[in-house]
Amino acid sequence: MFIQTEPTPNPNTLKFLPGRALAEDGAHEFASIEEAQASPLAEALFQVEGVERVYFGPDFVSVSKADGGLSWSQMKAPILAAVMDHFTSGQPLFRDGAAGVSHGADVYEGEAAQIVAEIKDLLDTRIRPAVAQDGGDILFDRYEPDTGVVYLRMRGACSGCPSSSATLRAGVENTLRHYVPEVTRVEQTL
C-alpha cells in the first residue's frame, strides 16, 4: 500500500491519501481521543504523540498537530504506520453508529428556506470540493434572514488555518454574495 502525503495551507495540518475511499457517507472530524473512539483509525492516530485533530474526507485523512509541538518529520512516519496498519488489518473505518456530520439542520420557511437551499447547493457544488483539495471542509451552520449573515463551520485543515479568514472573505463570502444577493456577510462559527 502506498500512501501519498500533501501539505495544506495550514502548516499544522498534513493530508494523507491512502488511495481508497474513506468517508463516503459524509465527512467526520475528531477533536479529541474521546470523539475518536467512534473509529479505530482515528483512535490509532490520536495515539501518535502530538496529534491534535483528525478529519476524514471522501478519500483522504487530514491530521493536525499541536502548534509548537513535534515537527512533521518526527510525526509523519508514525502516522503513516497507523494508517497502513489500519487498512491492512481489515478493520472497519467506523464502529457501529458513527455517522457523518452534514450541514446544520435548522428548518427555515418561505423565502429563507429557498435562500438556505441555494447557499447549501453552492457550498456543495462549488466551495466544498475546492476546499477538500486542501484537506478541509466548510459546512453551513445557520442563516439569519433579518441580517443576511451566514454562519459556517470550518473543519479539517481549515480549522485553525491562518488563511481561513481570508478564505471565508475572499472566496466563500464573495461567491455566496454573487449568487445569493440576500447574503450580506459570512462568519465562522465553532
Side-chain angles (χ1 to χ4, degrees), residues 12 65-71:
N12 290 328
K65 68 180 187 73
D67 194 24
L70 297 176
S71 70

Side-chain angles (χ1 to χ4, degrees), residues 12-80:
N12 290 328
T13 303
L14 199 57
K15 184 176 171 182
F16 295 82
L17 299 129
R20 59 180 63 190
L22 264 84
E24 298 178 89
D25 66 331
H28 297 259
E29 184 169 45
F30 308 94
S32 69
I33 187 72
E34 292 78 22
E35 291 177 14
Q37 291 175 2
S39 165
L41 176 55
E43 199 168 31
L45 290 169
F46 270 98
Q47 298 301 318
V48 175
E49 183 182 353
V51 170
E52 193 171 75
R53 184 178 296 270
V54 174
Y55 175 80
F56 296 159
D59 62 351
F60 65 88
V61 177
S62 289
V63 178
S64 299
K65 68 180 187 73
D67 194 24
L70 297 176
S71 70
W72 281 118
S73 62
Q74 295 168 301
M75 295 178 65
K76 194 173 178 181
I79 292 170
L80 285 167

Side-chain angles (χ1 to χ4, degrees), residues 57-126:
D59 62 351
F60 65 88
V61 177
S62 289
V63 178
S64 299
K65 68 180 187 73
D67 194 24
L70 297 176
S71 70
W72 281 118
S73 62
Q74 295 168 301
M75 295 178 65
K76 194 173 178 181
I79 292 170
L80 285 167
V83 173
M84 187 164 307
D85 288 349
H86 174 78
F87 285 110
T88 58
S89 75
Q91 291 184 71
L93 187 59
F94 300 103
R95 293 188 172 98
D96 294 337
V101 177
S102 59
H103 296 297
D106 291 347
V107 176
Y108 297 86
E109 305 222 353
E111 185 180 346
Q114 182 178 349
I115 292 168
V116 168
E118 289 177 43
I119 292 167
K120 288 179 180 179
D121 182 59
L122 282 168
L123 287 170
D124 290 342
T125 60
R126 294 181 179 261

